[in-house]
Amino acid sequence: MTIESFKSLRWTDYFLYTILDPRELYRMVKQKDPDPFVLSFTIPVAYSIFAILTMSLTGKESNFFYHKMSYGWILIFIYTLSKIIIYSSLIDITAQFFGYRGNIKEIITLYNFSLFPELFFLPVVYTFVTIDFAPSFFYILFSIVFLIWQVMILTQSFSEMHSIDFNKSLFILILPVVLIGLIFFMIAVLLIILAVGFIA
């Protein structure tokens, strides 16, 4: 992104369309005016910081808070970045398996922007912590709400990317998660069987 593009404030449209129109978000990503790839990584950085702060709100604070804000932030950022790259790669592979073009760079960009609503999670939780009104309950509730919002953004933008309907887009996005879940489930079952056999 050039200095001229930054000054034009065109980049703010990416955040606006993430919330208002995920399909238009992809059209902007495709046009690359300005190129959003590097810009999109500001969201995982902010997300990692906000995640640490949000988790800290639900527990009793101590001097360990400063360690969480430094080492904890780095750990969450590395985990988030790894999740983005691995999951985006799996989505790309799945899309190509069904005959659609691959574009890992665009998928990573869309995944990054889909995390944007998560930044609103902190002020929502903070509100309920401040008034001391069932903060743990609303933490769980809004975790689910914001996850669904993220999935909706990613599904709609991915649907626009490949010109497919919403349901097929959702299927392609969920399939890698289901397969990974089954693999881990089978591994867990095998480990339990081995452990029982060893004990017996």
Side-chain angles (χ1 to χ4, degrees), residues 6 52 68-69 81 103 108 110 160:
F6 184 81
I52 282 287
K68 286 193 293 185
M69 283 305 296
L81 200 60
N103 193 326
I108 288 175
L110 293 175
E160 184 67 23

Side-chain angles (χ1 to χ4, degrees), residues 47 50-59 76 118 121-129 133-147:
Y47 167 79
F50 278 42
I52 282 287
L53 290 171
T54 305
M55 286 186 290
S56 299
L57 287 174
T58 58
I76 289 181
E118 296 281 351
F121 187 48
L122 175 60
V124 170
V125 173
Y126 182 75
T127 300
F128 289 99
V129 170
F133 185 72
S136 298
F137 169 77
F138 285 103
Y139 180 90
I140 296 169
L141 175 63
F142 284 105
S143 294
I144 297 169
V145 170
F146 281 101
L147 176 62

Side-chain angles (χ1 to χ4, degrees), residues 41-77:
F41 282 96
T42 60
I43 299 174
V45 171
Y47 167 79
S48 302
I49 296 171
F50 278 42
I52 282 287
L53 290 171
T54 305
M55 286 186 290
S56 299
L57 287 174
T58 58
K60 186 177 180 181
E61 287 311 320
S62 64
N63 291 333
F64 187 64
F65 174 78
Y66 300 103
H67 293 281
K68 286 193 293 185
M69 283 305 296
S70 54
Y71 302 108
W73 171 79
I74 294 170
L75 180 62
I76 289 181
F77 177 68

